[in-house]
Amino acid sequence: MIVTDKIDEVRQHRWADPSLTWGFVPTMGYLHAGHLSLVQLSLAGNERTAVSIYVNPTQFAPTEDLSSYPRNLEGDLAMLEKAGVDLVFTPSDALMYPPGFQTTVSLSQVTQPLEGSSRPSHFTGVATIVAKLFNIVQPTRAYFGQKDAQQTIVLRQMVRDLNFNVEMVIGPTSREPDGLAMSSRNALLSAENRAAAPVLYRALSAARAAYEAGERSGELLRETMRGMITAVPQAKIDYVSAADPRTLEELDKVEEGVLLSTAVFFGKTRLIDNILIYASENTE
Ligand code: PAF
Protein backbone atom coordinates (compact mmCIF):
# COMPACT_ATOMS: atom_id res chain seq x y z
CA MET A 1 0.00 0.00 0.00
CA ILE A 2 1.35 3.42 -0.97
CA VAL A 3 1.02 6.07 1.76
CA THR A 4 1.84 9.58 0.62
CA ASP A 5 1.31 13.22 1.55
CA LYS A 6 2.38 14.40 -1.92
CA ILE A 7 0.02 15.38 -4.75
CA ASP A 8 2.54 14.45 -7.47
CA GLU A 9 2.91 10.96 -6.06
CA VAL A 10 -0.87 10.44 -5.98
CA ARG A 11 -1.11 11.51 -9.62
CA GLN A 12 1.83 9.37 -10.66
CA HIS A 13 0.18 6.22 -9.25
CA ARG A 14 -3.30 7.20 -10.41
CA TRP A 15 -2.18 7.63 -14.01
CA ALA A 16 0.51 4.89 -14.18
CA ASP A 17 -2.07 2.82 -16.09
CA PRO A 18 -4.92 5.02 -17.35
CA SER A 19 -6.98 1.97 -18.31
CA LEU A 20 -7.58 1.08 -14.62
CA THR A 21 -10.67 2.26 -12.72
CA TRP A 22 -10.06 3.94 -9.37
CA GLY A 23 -12.49 4.11 -6.47
CA PHE A 24 -11.94 6.83 -3.86
CA VAL A 25 -13.11 7.02 -0.24
CA PRO A 26 -12.48 10.46 1.33
CA THR A 27 -12.34 10.29 5.15
CA MET A 28 -11.31 12.28 8.18
CA GLY A 29 -9.72 9.17 9.71
CA TYR A 30 -10.43 7.40 13.02
CA LEU A 31 -11.85 4.71 10.79
CA HIS A 32 -14.63 2.35 11.83
CA ALA A 33 -16.70 -0.38 10.22
CA GLY A 34 -18.79 2.24 8.38
CA HIS A 35 -15.73 3.55 6.54
CA LEU A 36 -14.57 0.00 5.87
CA SER A 37 -17.92 -0.85 4.29
CA LEU A 38 -17.35 2.02 1.81
CA VAL A 39 -13.80 0.75 1.21
CA GLN A 40 -15.23 -2.73 0.51
CA LEU A 41 -17.71 -1.26 -2.00
CA SER A 42 -14.83 0.52 -3.71
CA LEU A 43 -12.59 -2.55 -3.76
CA ALA A 44 -15.43 -4.62 -5.25
CA GLY A 45 -16.31 -2.02 -7.89
CA ASN A 46 -12.89 -0.82 -9.08
CA GLU A 47 -9.46 -2.14 -10.01
CA ARG A 48 -7.72 0.23 -7.60
CA THR A 49 -8.85 1.99 -4.41
CA ALA A 50 -7.54 5.20 -2.85
CA VAL A 51 -8.49 6.57 0.57
CA SER A 52 -7.72 10.04 1.91
CA ILE A 53 -7.28 10.76 5.60
CA TYR A 54 -7.52 14.46 6.34
CA VAL A 55 -9.31 16.29 9.18
CA ASN A 56 -10.43 19.29 7.16
CA PRO A 57 -10.32 22.41 9.36
CA THR A 58 -12.54 24.53 7.10
CA GLN A 59 -15.61 22.39 7.74
CA PHE A 60 -15.43 23.02 11.50
CA ALA A 61 -16.74 26.28 12.97
CA PRO A 62 -14.47 27.97 15.55
CA THR A 63 -16.82 26.71 18.29
CA GLU A 64 -16.70 23.10 17.09
CA ASP A 65 -14.66 20.06 17.99
CA LEU A 66 -11.66 20.30 15.59
CA SER A 67 -9.01 19.94 18.29
CA SER A 68 -10.84 17.09 20.05
CA TYR A 69 -11.71 15.28 16.81
CA PRO A 70 -10.34 11.74 17.35
CA ARG A 71 -7.25 10.71 15.39
CA ASN A 72 -5.37 7.42 15.01
CA LEU A 73 -3.30 7.44 11.82
CA GLU A 74 -1.31 4.31 12.66
CA GLY A 75 -4.45 2.27 13.42
CA ASP A 76 -6.18 3.63 10.29
CA LEU A 77 -3.28 2.66 8.04
CA ALA A 78 -3.13 -0.86 9.50
CA MET A 79 -6.87 -1.30 8.82
CA LEU A 80 -6.59 -0.02 5.25
CA GLU A 81 -3.56 -2.18 4.47
CA LYS A 82 -5.39 -5.27 5.76
CA ALA A 83 -8.45 -4.38 3.66
CA GLY A 84 -6.30 -4.27 0.50
CA VAL A 85 -6.36 -0.53 -0.26
CA ASP A 86 -3.83 0.54 -2.91
CA LEU A 87 -3.10 4.14 -1.96
CA VAL A 88 -3.65 6.41 1.05
CA PHE A 89 -3.32 10.18 0.74
CA THR A 90 -2.56 11.94 4.04
CA PRO A 91 -2.06 15.63 3.17
CA SER A 92 -1.02 18.34 5.61
CA ASP A 93 -2.93 21.60 6.24
CA ALA A 94 -0.06 23.47 4.57
CA LEU A 95 -0.52 21.44 1.39
CA MET A 96 -4.31 21.77 1.30
CA TYR A 97 -4.52 25.42 2.36
CA PRO A 98 -1.20 27.11 1.54
CA PRO A 99 -0.68 30.79 2.32
CA GLY A 100 -2.68 32.87 -0.15
CA PHE A 101 -5.39 30.23 -0.62
CA GLN A 102 -8.60 32.05 -1.62
CA THR A 103 -10.95 29.84 -3.65
CA THR A 104 -14.01 28.16 -2.15
CA VAL A 105 -16.92 26.12 -3.50
CA SER A 106 -20.27 27.14 -2.06
CA LEU A 107 -23.76 25.99 -2.99
CA SER A 108 -26.70 28.29 -2.58
CA GLN A 109 -29.78 26.22 -1.70
CA VAL A 110 -29.28 22.65 -0.49
CA THR A 111 -26.67 23.83 2.00
CA GLN A 112 -29.07 26.17 3.82
CA PRO A 113 -31.44 24.00 5.93
CA LEU A 114 -30.70 21.27 8.52
CA GLU A 115 -26.93 20.96 9.08
CA GLY A 116 -26.43 24.24 7.21
CA SER A 117 -28.67 26.22 9.54
CA SER A 118 -26.76 24.99 12.60
CA ARG A 119 -23.35 25.01 10.91
CA PRO A 120 -23.41 27.86 8.33
CA SER A 121 -19.88 27.46 6.94
CA HIS A 122 -19.75 23.66 7.13
CA PHE A 123 -20.74 22.72 3.58
CA THR A 124 -18.49 25.30 1.93
CA GLY A 125 -15.63 23.60 3.78
CA VAL A 126 -16.82 20.15 2.71
CA ALA A 127 -17.47 21.06 -0.95
CA THR A 128 -14.13 22.88 -1.24
CA ILE A 129 -12.04 20.03 0.17
CA VAL A 130 -13.91 17.36 -1.79
CA ALA A 131 -13.49 19.37 -5.01
CA LYS A 132 -9.74 19.60 -4.29
CA LEU A 133 -9.49 15.88 -3.49
CA PHE A 134 -11.40 14.98 -6.67
CA ASN A 135 -8.99 17.10 -8.69
CA ILE A 136 -5.99 15.49 -7.03
CA VAL A 137 -7.12 11.83 -7.14
CA GLN A 138 -9.33 12.04 -10.26
CA PRO A 139 -11.22 8.88 -9.31
CA THR A 140 -13.63 6.95 -11.51
CA ARG A 141 -16.04 6.59 -8.57
CA ALA A 142 -16.27 8.20 -5.11
CA TYR A 143 -17.91 6.64 -2.05
CA PHE A 144 -19.83 8.45 0.69
CA GLY A 145 -22.05 7.22 3.54
CA GLN A 146 -25.82 7.77 3.75
CA LYS A 147 -25.35 8.73 7.42
CA ASP A 148 -24.31 12.18 6.18
CA ALA A 149 -27.45 12.48 4.06
CA GLN A 150 -27.23 16.21 3.38
CA GLN A 151 -23.54 15.91 2.51
CA THR A 152 -24.41 13.34 -0.18
CA ILE A 153 -27.05 15.69 -1.63
CA VAL A 154 -24.70 18.68 -1.57
CA LEU A 155 -21.84 16.76 -3.18
CA ARG A 156 -24.04 15.21 -5.89
CA GLN A 157 -25.22 18.74 -6.71
CA MET A 158 -21.62 20.00 -6.84
CA VAL A 159 -20.62 17.12 -9.16
CA ARG A 160 -23.55 17.98 -11.46
CA ASP A 161 -23.01 21.74 -11.37
CA LEU A 162 -19.23 21.67 -11.89
CA ASN A 163 -19.18 18.69 -14.29
CA PHE A 164 -16.83 16.53 -12.27
CA ASN A 165 -16.16 13.31 -14.15
CA VAL A 166 -16.83 11.18 -11.05
CA GLU A 167 -19.58 8.65 -10.37
CA MET A 168 -21.00 9.15 -6.86
CA VAL A 169 -21.82 5.98 -4.91
CA ILE A 170 -23.69 6.21 -1.58
CA GLY A 171 -23.27 3.32 0.87
CA PRO A 172 -25.85 2.43 3.57
CA THR A 173 -25.42 3.57 7.19
CA SER A 174 -23.52 1.05 9.33
CA ARG A 175 -24.98 0.61 12.81
CA GLU A 176 -23.92 -0.73 16.18
CA PRO A 177 -26.04 -3.66 17.48
CA ASP A 178 -28.20 -1.19 19.48
CA GLY A 179 -28.93 0.85 16.35
CA LEU A 180 -26.54 3.76 16.93
CA ALA A 181 -25.12 4.93 13.59
CA MET A 182 -21.36 4.39 13.45
CA SER A 183 -19.44 7.66 13.69
CA SER A 184 -15.94 8.68 14.73
CA ARG A 185 -17.66 11.09 17.15
CA ASN A 186 -19.18 8.18 19.14
CA ALA A 187 -15.73 7.80 20.74
CA LEU A 188 -16.25 11.20 22.40
CA LEU A 189 -19.42 10.11 24.28
CA SER A 190 -19.36 9.46 28.04
CA ALA A 191 -20.65 6.02 29.09
CA GLU A 192 -23.95 7.59 30.15
CA ASN A 193 -24.39 9.48 26.87
CA ARG A 194 -23.36 6.42 24.83
CA ALA A 195 -26.14 4.47 26.57
CA ALA A 196 -28.65 7.24 25.75
CA ALA A 197 -27.59 7.86 22.12
CA PRO A 198 -29.51 4.98 20.44
CA VAL A 199 -32.66 7.09 20.95
CA LEU A 200 -31.84 8.76 17.60
CA TYR A 201 -32.42 5.57 15.67
CA ARG A 202 -35.38 4.55 17.85
CA ALA A 203 -37.04 7.92 17.12
CA LEU A 204 -36.33 7.71 13.38
CA SER A 205 -37.61 4.12 13.31
CA ALA A 206 -40.80 5.14 15.13
CA ALA A 207 -41.40 7.88 12.55
CA ARG A 208 -40.78 5.37 9.76
CA ALA A 209 -43.25 2.95 11.39
CA ALA A 210 -45.82 5.77 11.55
CA TYR A 211 -45.21 6.49 7.84
CA GLU A 212 -45.60 2.80 7.02
CA ALA A 213 -48.87 2.76 8.96
CA GLY A 214 -50.14 5.53 6.66
CA GLU A 215 -49.15 8.77 8.44
CA ARG A 216 -48.40 11.45 5.84
CA SER A 217 -48.31 14.61 7.97
CA GLY A 218 -44.76 15.97 8.11
CA GLU A 219 -45.48 17.67 11.43
CA LEU A 220 -46.80 14.47 13.03
CA LEU A 221 -43.70 12.57 11.84
CA ARG A 222 -41.49 15.31 13.34
CA GLU A 223 -43.56 15.24 16.54
CA THR A 224 -43.11 11.46 16.83
CA MET A 225 -39.32 11.92 16.79
CA ARG A 226 -39.36 15.00 19.03
CA GLY A 227 -41.50 13.25 21.67
CA MET A 228 -39.19 10.25 21.92
CA ILE A 229 -35.95 12.24 21.98
CA THR A 230 -37.08 14.82 24.55
CA ALA A 231 -38.04 11.94 26.87
CA VAL A 232 -34.31 11.15 27.21
CA PRO A 233 -32.76 13.64 29.66
CA GLN A 234 -29.21 13.42 28.19
CA ALA A 235 -30.46 14.38 24.70
CA LYS A 236 -30.73 18.01 23.58
CA ILE A 237 -32.37 18.37 20.16
CA ASP A 238 -30.74 20.59 17.56
CA TYR A 239 -33.34 19.71 14.91
CA VAL A 240 -35.78 17.03 13.84
CA SER A 241 -36.85 17.08 10.23
CA ALA A 242 -39.18 15.40 7.75
CA ALA A 243 -38.02 16.97 4.50
CA ASP A 244 -38.23 16.57 0.74
CA PRO A 245 -35.27 14.28 -0.13
CA ARG A 246 -34.29 16.44 -3.13
CA THR A 247 -34.79 20.05 -1.98
CA LEU A 248 -34.57 19.41 1.80
CA GLU A 249 -37.56 21.69 2.39
CA GLU A 250 -39.69 20.68 5.38
CA LEU A 251 -42.81 18.84 4.25
CA ASP A 252 -46.37 19.54 5.39
CA LYS A 253 -47.56 16.46 3.57
CA VAL A 254 -45.40 13.54 2.41
CA GLU A 255 -46.17 12.62 -1.16
CA GLU A 256 -43.20 11.15 -3.04
CA GLY A 257 -40.76 10.38 -0.26
CA VAL A 258 -39.25 11.84 2.87
CA LEU A 259 -35.84 12.25 4.48
CA LEU A 260 -36.37 11.78 8.23
CA SER A 261 -33.35 13.25 10.01
CA THR A 262 -32.21 14.58 13.34
CA ALA A 263 -29.23 16.18 15.06
CA VAL A 264 -28.95 15.84 18.82
CA PHE A 265 -26.38 16.96 21.39
CA PHE A 266 -25.22 14.56 24.08
CA GLY A 267 -23.07 16.79 26.26
CA LYS A 268 -20.76 18.57 23.79
CA THR A 269 -20.99 15.81 21.19
CA ARG A 270 -23.45 16.39 18.36
CA LEU A 271 -24.73 13.27 16.59
CA ILE A 272 -26.75 13.05 13.38
CA ASP A 273 -28.75 10.24 11.84
CA ASN A 274 -31.43 9.77 9.20
CA ILE A 275 -33.71 7.35 7.39
CA LEU A 276 -34.52 8.01 3.75
CA ILE A 277 -37.91 6.78 2.57
CA TYR A 278 -38.90 6.77 -1.06
CA ALA A 279 -42.52 5.99 -1.82
CA SER A 280 -41.51 2.50 -3.03
CA GLU A 281 -38.42 1.66 -0.91
CA ASN A 282 -36.46 2.52 2.23
CA THR A 283 -32.75 3.41 2.33
CA GLU A 284 -30.88 3.93 5.55
O1 PAF B 1 -17.63 12.81 5.60
C1 PAF B 1 -16.48 13.17 5.93
O2 PAF B 1 -15.75 12.46 6.63
C2 PAF B 1 -15.97 14.51 5.46
O3 PAF B 1 -16.98 15.46 5.43
C3 PAF B 1 -15.24 14.44 4.10
C4 PAF B 1 -16.21 14.02 2.99
C5 PAF B 1 -14.10 13.44 4.17
C6 PAF B 1 -14.67 15.82 3.73
O4 PAF B 1 -13.76 16.25 4.67
Side-chain angles (χ1 to χ4, degrees), residues 114-115 145-153 170-175 179-182 200-205 207-208 225 239-243 245 248 258-264 271-278 282-284:
L114 305 177
E115 290 301 288
Q146 174 61 26
K147 197 202 100 200
D148 296 303
Q150 191 174 7
Q151 173 170 278
T152 67
I153 292 165
I170 312 304
T173 303
S174 299
R175 299 186 179 280
L180 181 65
M182 288 189 184
L200 267 75
Y201 188 54
R202 284 203 307 278
L204 290 162
S205 301
R208 173 172 58 192
M225 295 186 270
Y239 63 77
V240 295
S241 165
L248 297 181
V258 57
L259 177 66
L260 302 166
S261 67
T262 182
V264 177
L271 300 181
I272 59 173
D273 199 357
N274 69 87
I275 292 179
L276 175 60
I277 301 174
Y278 282 113
N282 291 345
T283 318
E284 286 183 14

Side-chain angles (χ1 to χ4, degrees), residues 24-173:
F24 176 45
V25 186
T27 81
M28 298 206 299
Y30 210 73
L31 304 180
H32 50 66
H35 295 110
L36 287 186
S37 72
L38 297 178
V39 166
Q40 293 303 342
L41 284 178
S42 174
L43 289 166
N46 302 278
E47 285 144 319
R48 297 283 183 270
T49 287
V51 173
S52 62
I53 298 178
Y54 178 59
V55 183
N56 173 38
T58 63
Q59 68 191 76
F60 291 79
T63 50
E64 289 178 348
D65 52 356
L66 174 61
S67 60
S68 61
Y69 197 84
R71 291 165 166 86
N72 178 11
L73 184 59
E74 212 178 305
D76 291 346
L77 293 177
M79 255 188 231
L80 295 175
E81 173 126 55
K82 190 158 168 239
V85 164
D86 298 279
L87 183 145
V88 184
F89 181 45
T90 57
S92 64
D93 288 343
L95 185 73
M96 290 292 96
Y97 298 107
F101 184 88
Q102 52 184 298
T103 303
T104 54
V105 178
S106 66
L107 292 85
S108 52
Q109 285 165 31
V110 284
T111 55
Q112 299 306 309
L114 305 177
E115 290 301 288
S117 69
S118 302
R119 311 176 71 193
S121 56
H122 173 68
F123 286 117
T124 297
V126 171
T128 302
I129 196 67
V130 172
K132 285 171 69 70
L133 291 168
F134 280 1
N135 281 331
I136 293 166
V137 178
Q138 297 185 269
T140 318
R141 299 183 184 85
Y143 295 80
F144 297 88
Q146 174 61 26
K147 197 202 100 200
D148 296 303
Q150 191 174 7
Q151 173 170 278
T152 67
I153 292 165
V154 167
L155 293 175
R156 275 187 196 280
Q157 184 74 43
M158 178 190 82
V159 162
R160 257 198 311 275
D161 289 351
L162 298 184
N163 308 98
F164 278 99
N165 191 18
V166 177
E167 183 187 328
M168 298 286 282
V169 184
I170 312 304
T173 303

Side-chain angles (χ1 to χ4, degrees), residues 249-260:
E249 281 162 16
E250 290 303 320
L251 292 171
D252 292 332
K253 185 164 178 247
V254 180
E255 277 165 0
E256 283 182 33
V258 57
L259 177 66
L260 302 166

